[in-house]
Amino acid sequence: LQLVPALCVGGCQGRMLQSSKYSSTVLNRRCVEAAVMTGLALNCSINKKSLFDRKHYFYADLPAGYQITQQRVPIAVNGSLSYSLCIDSKMSQMVTKTVRIKQIQLEQDSGKSLHDDTRSQTLVDLNRAGVGLMEVVMEPDMCCGEEAAAAVRELQLILQTLGSSQAVMAEGQLRVDANVSVHHPGEPYGVRTEVKNINSIRFLAKAIDYEIQRQIEELENGGTILNETRAFDSKLGCTVPMRDKEGKQDYRFMPEPNLPPLILYDAKSLPANMNHQQVINIDWIHERLPDLPSVKRKKLVEQYGILPEHSFTLLNEEGLAEFFESVVKQTQMKPKKVIGWILKDLLSYLKQHSLTVKESPVSSFVLADLLNLLEKKEISSTAAKQVLAELWKGEGKTPLEIVKEQKLELLQDQKELEQICQAVIDGHKNEVMAIKAGNPKVLNKLIGLVQKKTQGRSNPVLVKQLLEKKLSG
C-alpha cells in the first residue's frame, strides 16, 4: 500500500506562478517556504537545487495542456512520518509505526471535473487550476486502511500546525491517491491499482480495505488484476474503474522553460551580500518550526499526567487541546478529572449535535465554573451532569444560578442523610443479606437508591461511608 497525498499549499490562497514587473512568471515564494517547512517537519533532506518540468497530457480540467511539476529533482527527499494507531477497541493500547517519505514535489493543481449523472454531462470548475500543489509521495510501508487513515490524519495535523495548508479534505485542500497491490509474503509486489482523489479519512480506510479484499478475491478465483485507475463510490462503499493504464501514457516530460532551477540556501552557503528577502534560508525556516503534534502530545502527558491515548483525542479534535488547557487553568480540579469531563461529556455532546469545539454553547470558563462547584463539594457529580445538561441549552445562566433554581445543592444535614440511608437498608433486606454474605458490589445499588431519594443531592462517598458503618454495626 502506497499513499500519495496532494495538498493545496497555503489553503488554496495563491497561484504557484505569479506575474512580476521583471518577468511574466515568477515562482510563488509562499509555496516554496511551505514545501521546505513540510519537508523539514517530515525529516526530509532538502535539495538546495531542484528543477521544474512540464508534464504534457490532454484532459478537460487542464486548459494549458501541461502541468508544471518536479519529475527529475524534487524539492525534498528521503523523509519519514511516524504515526500511532490503536490495537484494541477501547483505545487503551497504542502502537507507533513509521512510513518512509520518498519525496515532496511542487506542482500546479488542475481544475475539478464535476460529473452530473442525471444530465449525462460533466462540468469543469477551473477555480483551483494553477494553485500551488504539494505532493507527498510515500513508500509502500502500510498494509491496511486503518494504518493509512492514521498516517494521513497525522500528516493533516502536521500541515495544519505548520500552516502550510488548511488541509480540509472536504474542501479538496487535501486529497489522497492510494496505490494498492496484494502479494504473498516473500514474493514481489503484485499489479497495483490506483484509487484516485479520496477526500475523506474515513473513505480512505474503507476504499483501501475494499480494494485489498477485491484483489484477493479476484486472484483466488483465477482472475487477474488490471493496472488501472479506480474511484471510490462512497454511497456503494466500493471502488469502481475509471480508466486503465495498460497502454502507458507518454507525458513527454521536458524542462520548464519559464522557471530556472530553484536554488535554496542554508546559513553556511548564504552569500554575505545577498538580499535575505530574495532568497529562502533553510536554517531560518528550521529554527522557526512550531511544536509538532507528537511534541504537543508528549507535553500534554508530562504536564497534566493524562493518558497518551487521551492526548491523541485532544489533538485530533481542532481546538480541544486549547479548551482543555483553558479549563485546567481556571479550575481547582485536577487535570486527570477534567479530562474525563472534556472527553466523556463535552466531546460526546458536540459529536451528537455535529458541533465543533468553537461552536460549543458551553465555554471553557463556564465549564471550569461548574467543575469548581463540584470540587468544593457544593454539588454532587450527578447534580453537575444535570447542570451541564441545562448549560447546553445556551440560555446564558451560570452554573450557580442553575444549582439554586433547581435546588441541587449538596445535602449538608448529616442526620437527615443517615435517616435516608437507614430507610433504604430497612427496605432492601435481600441486598443487605447479599452484602453480608460477601458480595460488596451490591452496595453500589444501595448508594444509587440513596442518590435517587435525595435527587442526586447526596455525596456518594459520604453515603458509602454511612451505609458501610450501619451495615457493619
mmCIF file of all heavy atoms in Angstrom, residues 256-284:
data_model
loop_
_atom_site.group_PDB
_atom_site.id
_atom_site.type_symbol
_atom_site.label_atom_id
_atom_site.label_comp_id
_atom_site.label_asym_id
_atom_site.label_seq_id
_atom_site.Cartn_x
_atom_site.Cartn_y
_atom_site.Cartn_z
ATOM 1 N N GLU A 256 10.928 22.840 -17.642
ATOM 2 C CA GLU A 256 10.027 24.007 -17.714
ATOM 3 C C GLU A 256 10.826 25.228 -18.173
ATOM 4 O O GLU A 256 11.726 25.692 -17.461
ATOM 5 C CB GLU A 256 9.391 24.253 -16.344
ATOM 6 C CG GLU A 256 8.651 25.566 -16.185
ATOM 7 C CD GLU A 256 7.599 25.795 -17.247
ATOM 8 O OE1 GLU A 256 6.783 24.886 -17.497
ATOM 9 O OE2 GLU A 256 7.608 26.893 -17.834
ATOM 10 N N PRO A 257 10.513 25.776 -19.349
ATOM 11 C CA PRO A 257 11.324 26.878 -19.898
ATOM 12 C C PRO A 257 11.180 28.200 -19.153
ATOM 13 O O PRO A 257 12.074 29.044 -19.218
ATOM 14 C CB PRO A 257 10.817 26.993 -21.345
ATOM 15 C CG PRO A 257 9.427 26.452 -21.307
ATOM 16 C CD PRO A 257 9.441 25.358 -20.285
ATOM 17 N N ASN A 258 10.063 28.393 -18.443
ATOM 18 C CA ASN A 258 9.820 29.682 -17.780
ATOM 19 C C ASN A 258 10.339 29.743 -16.345
ATOM 20 O O ASN A 258 10.299 30.805 -15.727
ATOM 21 C CB ASN A 258 8.320 29.996 -17.775
ATOM 22 C CG ASN A 258 7.799 30.307 -19.160
ATOM 23 O OD1 ASN A 258 8.484 30.950 -19.953
ATOM 24 N ND2 ASN A 258 6.599 29.828 -19.466
ATOM 25 N N LEU A 259 10.797 28.610 -15.843
ATOM 26 C CA LEU A 259 11.281 28.591 -14.461
ATOM 27 C C LEU A 259 12.710 28.060 -14.416
ATOM 28 O O LEU A 259 12.950 26.898 -14.758
ATOM 29 C CB LEU A 259 10.379 27.716 -13.581
ATOM 30 C CG LEU A 259 8.982 28.257 -13.264
ATOM 31 C CD1 LEU A 259 8.183 27.217 -12.493
ATOM 32 C CD2 LEU A 259 9.045 29.552 -12.491
ATOM 33 N N PRO A 260 13.655 28.853 -13.966
ATOM 34 C CA PRO A 260 15.036 28.370 -13.815
ATOM 35 C C PRO A 260 15.119 27.418 -12.630
ATOM 36 O O PRO A 260 14.162 27.290 -11.857
ATOM 37 C CB PRO A 260 15.823 29.659 -13.545
ATOM 38 C CG PRO A 260 14.835 30.570 -12.908
ATOM 39 C CD PRO A 260 13.510 30.261 -13.544
ATOM 40 N N PRO A 261 16.219 26.726 -12.424
ATOM 41 C CA PRO A 261 16.375 25.860 -11.243
ATOM 42 C C PRO A 261 16.112 26.636 -9.957
ATOM 43 O O PRO A 261 16.470 27.823 -9.842
ATOM 44 C CB PRO A 261 17.832 25.406 -11.330
ATOM 45 C CG PRO A 261 18.160 25.470 -12.783
ATOM 46 C CD PRO A 261 17.401 26.655 -13.314
ATOM 47 N N LEU A 262 15.468 25.980 -9.018
ATOM 48 C CA LEU A 262 15.164 26.598 -7.723
ATOM 49 C C LEU A 262 16.365 26.403 -6.801
ATOM 50 O O LEU A 262 16.727 25.273 -6.486
ATOM 51 C CB LEU A 262 13.911 25.963 -7.120
ATOM 52 C CG LEU A 262 13.530 26.401 -5.703
ATOM 53 C CD1 LEU A 262 13.264 27.899 -5.635
ATOM 54 C CD2 LEU A 262 12.313 25.618 -5.206
ATOM 55 N N ILE A 263 16.984 27.491 -6.390
ATOM 56 C CA ILE A 263 18.176 27.438 -5.542
ATOM 57 C C ILE A 263 17.804 27.877 -4.120
ATOM 58 O O ILE A 263 17.261 28.965 -3.919
ATOM 59 C CB ILE A 263 19.308 28.344 -6.083
ATOM 60 C CG1 ILE A 263 19.599 28.014 -7.550
ATOM 61 C CG2 ILE A 263 20.552 28.190 -5.228
ATOM 62 C CD1 ILE A 263 20.094 26.601 -7.797
ATOM 63 N N LEU A 264 18.090 27.024 -3.169
ATOM 64 C CA LEU A 264 17.869 27.332 -1.758
ATOM 65 C C LEU A 264 19.209 27.413 -1.039
ATOM 66 O O LEU A 264 20.211 26.868 -1.504
ATOM 67 C CB LEU A 264 17.002 26.244 -1.104
ATOM 68 C CG LEU A 264 15.660 25.935 -1.777
ATOM 69 C CD1 LEU A 264 14.963 24.786 -1.049
ATOM 70 C CD2 LEU A 264 14.763 27.156 -1.818
ATOM 71 N N TYR A 265 19.225 28.076 0.101
ATOM 72 C CA TYR A 265 20.469 28.279 0.845
ATOM 73 C C TYR A 265 20.285 27.846 2.297
ATOM 74 O O TYR A 265 19.164 27.763 2.806
ATOM 75 C CB TYR A 265 20.888 29.751 0.814
ATOM 76 C CG TYR A 265 21.183 30.281 -0.566
ATOM 77 C CD1 TYR A 265 20.176 30.850 -1.346
ATOM 78 C CD2 TYR A 265 22.469 30.218 -1.097
ATOM 79 C CE1 TYR A 265 20.441 31.330 -2.611
ATOM 80 C CE2 TYR A 265 22.755 30.695 -2.364
ATOM 81 C CZ TYR A 265 21.731 31.253 -3.125
ATOM 82 O OH TYR A 265 22.009 31.720 -4.391
ATOM 83 N N ASP A 266 21.404 27.568 2.956
ATOM 84 C CA ASP A 266 21.404 27.431 4.403
ATOM 85 C C ASP A 266 22.344 28.483 4.967
ATOM 86 O O ASP A 266 22.890 29.305 4.213
ATOM 87 C CB ASP A 266 21.803 26.020 4.848
ATOM 88 C CG ASP A 266 23.155 25.584 4.292
ATOM 89 O OD1 ASP A 266 23.949 26.473 3.893
ATOM 90 O OD2 ASP A 266 23.424 24.367 4.259
ATOM 91 N N ALA A 267 22.543 28.490 6.277
ATOM 92 C CA ALA A 267 23.355 29.538 6.897
ATOM 93 C C ALA A 267 24.787 29.544 6.373
ATOM 94 O O ALA A 267 25.403 30.608 6.239
ATOM 95 C CB ALA A 267 23.353 29.353 8.415
ATOM 96 N N LYS A 268 25.308 28.365 6.044
ATOM 97 C CA LYS A 268 26.688 28.281 5.577
ATOM 98 C C LYS A 268 26.849 28.763 4.135
ATOM 99 O O LYS A 268 27.842 29.401 3.792
ATOM 100 C CB LYS A 268 27.192 26.838 5.697
ATOM 101 C CG LYS A 268 27.343 26.363 7.131
ATOM 102 C CD LYS A 268 27.854 24.927 7.165
ATOM 103 C CE LYS A 268 28.000 24.432 8.607
ATOM 104 N NZ LYS A 268 28.466 23.021 8.645
ATOM 105 N N SER A 269 25.886 28.440 3.291
ATOM 106 C CA SER A 269 26.028 28.752 1.861
ATOM 107 C C SER A 269 25.460 30.103 1.463
ATOM 108 O O SER A 269 25.622 30.529 0.327
ATOM 109 C CB SER A 269 25.348 27.655 1.026
ATOM 110 O OG SER A 269 23.955 27.601 1.319
ATOM 111 N N LEU A 270 24.786 30.798 2.383
ATOM 112 C CA LEU A 270 24.161 32.076 2.055
ATOM 113 C C LEU A 270 25.229 33.151 1.831
ATOM 114 O O LEU A 270 25.998 33.471 2.743
ATOM 115 C CB LEU A 270 23.224 32.502 3.191
ATOM 116 C CG LEU A 270 22.379 33.761 2.952
ATOM 117 C CD1 LEU A 270 21.391 33.533 1.814
ATOM 118 C CD2 LEU A 270 21.632 34.146 4.225
ATOM 119 N N PRO A 271 25.290 33.740 0.638
ATOM 120 C CA PRO A 271 26.280 34.802 0.374
ATOM 121 C C PRO A 271 26.055 36.012 1.269
ATOM 122 O O PRO A 271 24.906 36.372 1.569
ATOM 123 C CB PRO A 271 26.035 35.153 -1.099
ATOM 124 C CG PRO A 271 25.338 33.962 -1.670
ATOM 125 C CD PRO A 271 24.505 33.404 -0.569
ATOM 126 N N ALA A 272 27.115 36.630 1.682
ATOM 127 C CA ALA A 272 27.037 37.754 2.622
ATOM 128 C C ALA A 272 26.307 38.958 2.042
ATOM 129 O O ALA A 272 25.609 39.675 2.752
ATOM 130 C CB ALA A 272 28.453 38.153 3.063
ATOM 131 N N ASN A 273 26.473 39.200 0.746
ATOM 132 C CA ASN A 273 25.877 40.397 0.134
ATOM 133 C C ASN A 273 24.492 40.135 -0.448
ATOM 134 O O ASN A 273 23.938 40.972 -1.153
ATOM 135 C CB ASN A 273 26.797 40.933 -0.973
ATOM 136 C CG ASN A 273 27.052 39.878 -2.062
ATOM 137 O OD1 ASN A 273 26.723 38.712 -1.871
ATOM 138 N ND2 ASN A 273 27.626 40.309 -3.174
ATOM 139 N N MET A 274 23.924 38.976 -0.165
ATOM 140 C CA MET A 274 22.624 38.602 -0.726
ATOM 141 C C MET A 274 21.495 39.262 0.060
ATOM 142 O O MET A 274 21.518 39.318 1.287
ATOM 143 C CB MET A 274 22.461 37.084 -0.693
ATOM 144 C CG MET A 274 21.182 36.573 -1.349
ATOM 145 S SD MET A 274 21.207 36.713 -3.140
ATOM 146 C CE MET A 274 22.336 35.369 -3.549
ATOM 147 N N ASN A 275 20.483 39.765 -0.654
ATOM 148 C CA ASN A 275 19.286 40.317 -0.021
ATOM 149 C C ASN A 275 18.459 39.158 0.542
ATOM 150 O O ASN A 275 17.977 38.308 -0.202
ATOM 151 C CB ASN A 275 18.463 41.101 -1.054
ATOM 152 C CG ASN A 275 17.268 41.789 -0.417
ATOM 153 O OD1 ASN A 275 16.834 41.438 0.679
ATOM 154 N ND2 ASN A 275 16.733 42.777 -1.109
ATOM 155 N N HIS A 276 18.285 39.116 1.846
ATOM 156 C CA HIS A 276 17.630 37.989 2.500
ATOM 157 C C HIS A 276 16.178 37.844 2.070
ATOM 158 O O HIS A 276 15.601 36.754 2.185
ATOM 159 C CB HIS A 276 17.713 38.138 4.026
ATOM 160 C CG HIS A 276 19.099 37.915 4.551
ATOM 161 N ND1 HIS A 276 19.351 37.484 5.839
ATOM 162 C CD2 HIS A 276 20.315 38.047 3.962
ATOM 163 C CE1 HIS A 276 20.659 37.369 6.027
ATOM 164 N NE2 HIS A 276 21.254 37.712 4.900
ATOM 165 N N GLN A 277 15.560 38.915 1.610
ATOM 166 C CA GLN A 277 14.168 38.841 1.181
ATOM 167 C C GLN A 277 14.019 38.193 -0.195
ATOM 168 O O GLN A 277 12.913 37.844 -0.606
ATOM 169 C CB GLN A 277 13.549 40.243 1.163
ATOM 170 C CG GLN A 277 13.446 40.874 2.551
ATOM 171 C CD GLN A 277 12.790 42.232 2.512
ATOM 172 O OE1 GLN A 277 12.682 42.849 1.455
ATOM 173 N NE2 GLN A 277 12.342 42.707 3.666
ATOM 174 N N GLN A 278 15.111 38.023 -0.888
ATOM 175 C CA GLN A 278 15.054 37.447 -2.227
ATOM 176 C C GLN A 278 15.509 35.990 -2.255
ATOM 177 O O GLN A 278 15.548 35.370 -3.324
ATOM 178 C CB GLN A 278 15.918 38.278 -3.189
ATOM 179 C CG GLN A 278 15.381 39.687 -3.418
ATOM 180 C CD GLN A 278 16.240 40.485 -4.384
ATOM 181 O OE1 GLN A 278 17.350 40.078 -4.715
ATOM 182 N NE2 GLN A 278 15.726 41.603 -4.834
ATOM 183 N N VAL A 279 15.850 35.432 -1.114
ATOM 184 C CA VAL A 279 16.283 34.030 -1.049
ATOM 185 C C VAL A 279 15.519 33.316 0.064
ATOM 186 O O VAL A 279 14.889 33.951 0.915
ATOM 187 C CB VAL A 279 17.801 33.914 -0.781
ATOM 188 C CG1 VAL A 279 18.601 34.540 -1.907
ATOM 189 C CG2 VAL A 279 18.162 34.536 0.567
ATOM 190 N N ILE A 280 15.603 32.006 0.038
ATOM 191 C CA ILE A 280 14.975 31.198 1.089
ATOM 192 C C ILE A 280 16.074 30.466 1.843
ATOM 193 O O ILE A 280 16.857 29.726 1.251
ATOM 194 C CB ILE A 280 13.949 30.222 0.496
ATOM 195 C CG1 ILE A 280 12.736 31.023 0.010
ATOM 196 C CG2 ILE A 280 13.526 29.172 1.519
ATOM 197 C CD1 ILE A 280 11.670 30.209 -0.648
ATOM 198 N N ASN A 281 16.127 30.726 3.150
ATOM 199 C CA ASN A 281 17.149 30.167 4.023
ATOM 200 C C ASN A 281 16.555 28.965 4.769
ATOM 201 O O ASN A 281 15.652 29.114 5.604
ATOM 202 C CB ASN A 281 17.627 31.235 5.011
ATOM 203 C CG ASN A 281 18.800 30.769 5.857
ATOM 204 O OD1 ASN A 281 18.955 29.581 6.124
ATOM 205 N ND2 ASN A 281 19.624 31.712 6.301
ATOM 206 N N ILE A 282 17.025 27.765 4.470
ATOM 207 C CA ILE A 282 16.506 26.537 5.077
ATOM 208 C C ILE A 282 16.664 26.561 6.600
ATOM 209 O O ILE A 282 15.743 26.205 7.345
ATOM 210 C CB ILE A 282 17.231 25.303 4.494
ATOM 211 C CG1 ILE A 282 17.004 25.230 2.979
ATOM 212 C CG2 ILE A 282 16.746 24.017 5.164
ATOM 213 C CD1 ILE A 282 17.884 24.209 2.280
ATOM 214 N N ASP A 283 17.824 27.005 7.085
ATOM 215 C CA ASP A 283 18.074 27.038 8.535
ATOM 216 C C ASP A 283 17.146 28.021 9.237
ATOM 217 O O ASP A 283 16.693 27.767 10.366
ATOM 218 C CB ASP A 283 19.537 27.410 8.808
ATOM 219 C CG ASP A 283 20.494 26.298 8.397
ATOM 220 O OD1 ASP A 283 20.061 25.132 8.368
ATOM 221 O OD2 ASP A 283 21.669 26.597 8.083
ATOM 222 N N TRP A 284 16.864 29.135 8.593
ATOM 223 C CA TRP A 284 15.968 30.140 9.180
ATOM 224 C C TRP A 284 14.580 29.548 9.368
ATOM 225 O O TRP A 284 13.935 29.765 10.401
ATOM 226 C CB TRP A 284 15.911 31.363 8.258
ATOM 227 C CG TRP A 284 15.167 32.537 8.830
ATOM 228 C CD1 TRP A 284 15.677 33.532 9.605
ATOM 229 C CD2 TRP A 284 13.767 32.829 8.674
ATOM 230 N NE1 TRP A 284 14.685 34.438 9.941
ATOM 231 C CE2 TRP A 284 13.507 34.028 9.384
ATOM 232 C CE3 TRP A 284 12.726 32.203 8.006
ATOM 233 C CZ2 TRP A 284 12.246 34.598 9.431
ATOM 234 C CZ3 TRP A 284 11.457 32.772 8.064
ATOM 235 C CH2 TRP A 284 11.229 33.959 8.771
#
